[in-house]
Amino acid sequence: MTQTAGAKIIDGRHHARQLREALRIKAAGLLAKFGAPPKLTVILVGDDAPSRLYVSNKSKACRDVGIASVVIELPASTGLEALLAVIEEQNRDPSVHGILVQLPLPAHLPVHAVLERISVEKDVDGFHLYNVGSLALGTAVFPPCTPYGVQKLLEAEGIPIAGQNVVVVGASNIVGKPTAMMLMQKDATVCICHAKTRDLAQFTILADILVVAAGKPNLIVPQMVKTGAVVIDVGINRLPNGKVVGDVDFEGVRQKASYITPVPGGVGPMTVTMLLANTITAAQRMWGISETSTGT
Ligand code: NAP
């Protein structure tokens, strides 16, 4: 990567809009051919306010591209058996192509047992053990939405991945680990850091592409970033004053990086868009069309 006077700000909303335009055409084509739209069921357990907002954004995004969506709301007291019964019902319903259980779940519900009950053919979040395994093998049908969005942003900007040093800060099952896996499969050399990494800066400074998903505002400051690096900020943090920021000191790091994603308006819009893409892929597969929704 070359030295720049200031980073190009990657406009996630713009890239998401472009992808959604293509998805809208595909959804309309499926409706015309099969007489029904692709359909997503979202299951929301409990009353977590941010989860409610995320679910409402997902429903709105579905409407935007012509995907039917249903939200099943269950009380926080719902037991495991009752939740699994709801999932089974959605698994059996042939009009439903994608099923998503909004996380986090109330503490008494075991996340893995719940996610593993979703049919692998409808697992549009890509969190079922089978889909996690196929991601490791490089044959994922439903890549997890946030890492998929990160990959698509890099591709949309024409940023090469093969041969690049990628450092992923954050090792969660839903963001950090799958992002590392996906970029490794694109032939990057990948290093994963986490909360127990000693001297984080000695790793981040080596990154040609730095992906940060720790949930810690201002974790990444300019002296931790190589001049000309591509910086993808996945973090979403609400400050006490109500402002939403990422994990990166945006104003400082943008002076040094070649590309940087803003928060909000970077990775976030892509995450929801990749959920739409995966739902269309699920519908296509159920209707016997093998092409993936995003052409990858
Ligand atoms: P998470 O499950 O809490 O995982 C955070 C990861 O960051 C963990 O691996 C943790 O290490 C690591 N970490 C924490 N503090 C660190 C530090 N000081 N130095 C290095 N690593 C550190 O969070 P998540 O679900 O992956 O989400 C991460 C962030 O991305 C959050 O802000 C979340 O809101 C945001 N997010 C955004 C989107 C989007 O669409 N833009 C989607 C999902 C999540 P340990 O493993 O050692 O604990």
Side-chain angles (χ1 to χ4, degrees):
M1 307 293 165
T2 52
Q3 177 159 5
T4 56
K8 177 180 179 193
I9 297 170
I10 299 177
D11 184 349
R13 292 193 181 104
H14 165 77
H15 291 302
R17 258 195 311 275
Q18 292 218 312
L19 282 173
R20 284 185 197 193
E21 199 50 55
L23 295 173
R24 196 173 291 121
I25 292 166
K26 290 195 173 187
L30 292 171
L31 174 62
K33 190 161 181 193
F34 298 101
K39 183 172 169 186
L40 172 71
T41 293
V42 179
I43 301 172
L44 174 64
V45 187
D47 222 14
D48 181 56
S51 291
R52 196 166 283 280
L53 180 65
Y54 293 140
V55 167
S56 135
N57 287 343
K58 286 167 188 173
S59 300
K60 208 166 124 220
C62 282
R63 277 197 299 281
D64 181 42
V65 300
I67 293 174
S69 75
V70 171
V71 180
I72 299 177
E73 294 191 29
L74 301 172
S77 59
T78 303
L80 179 61
E81 288 313 315
L83 176 55
L84 296 183
V86 170
I87 294 172
E88 282 297 356
E89 198 180 332
Q90 298 303 305
N91 284 343
R92 283 193 302 270
D93 185 339
S95 76
V96 173
H97 306 103
I99 302 170
L100 178 158
V101 175
Q102 183 65 41
L103 301 179
L105 285 169
H108 68 280
L109 291 168
V111 178
H112 291 296
V114 171
L115 296 181
E116 269 139 49
R117 192 57 70 94
I118 297 172
S119 157
V120 294
E121 293 298 332
K122 299 187 179 188
D123 175 38
V124 288
D125 249 349
F127 294 158
H128 187 288
L129 212 53
Y130 180 90
N131 283 318
V132 175
S134 57
L135 185 74
L137 296 178
T139 57
V141 172
F142 301 121
C145 301
T146 301
Y148 198 10
V150 169
Q151 183 190 314
K152 284 284 162 194
L153 271 187
L154 294 171
E155 289 173 358
E157 289 288 338
I159 294 166
I161 299 172
Q164 301 298 305
N165 286 345
V166 169
V167 176
V168 180
V169 180
S172 71
N173 290 336
I174 65 168
V175 187
K177 282 183 204 165
T179 300
M181 193 91 76
M182 289 172 75
L183 296 180
M184 185 181 72
Q185 272 147 12
K186 293 282 171 190
D187 298 322
T189 303
V190 179
C191 164
I192 309 181
C193 301
H194 45 75
K196 291 172 199 71
T197 297
R198 277 184 285 127
D199 190 3
L200 185 60
Q202 71 170 317
F203 296 98
T204 59
I205 197 76
L206 297 176
D208 300 312
I209 301 173
L210 178 60
V211 182
V212 192
K216 302 277 178 246
N218 267 325
L219 178 65
I220 303 298
V221 291
Q223 54 272 32
M224 298 168 78
V225 177
K226 180 160 93 173
T227 300
V230 174
V231 179
I232 306 291
D233 191 353
V234 182
I236 302 175
N237 308 288
R238 189 173 287 279
L239 300 179
N241 66 7
K243 192 174 174 210
V244 173
V245 298
D247 292 349
V248 175
D249 164 13
F250 181 80
E251 286 307 327
V253 169
R254 70 184 282 198
Q255 306 304 325
K256 243 184 140 179
S258 57
Y259 291 83
I260 190 167
T261 57
V263 179
V267 175
M270 295 296 285
T271 294
V272 182
T273 301
M274 303 331 291
L275 171 68
L276 306 176
N278 280 348
T279 303
I280 289 178
T281 299
Q284 287 176 320
R285 287 168 60 84
M286 217 176 286
W287 282 321
I289 302 170
S290 61
E291 176 208 4
T292 66
S293 55
T294 51
T296 56

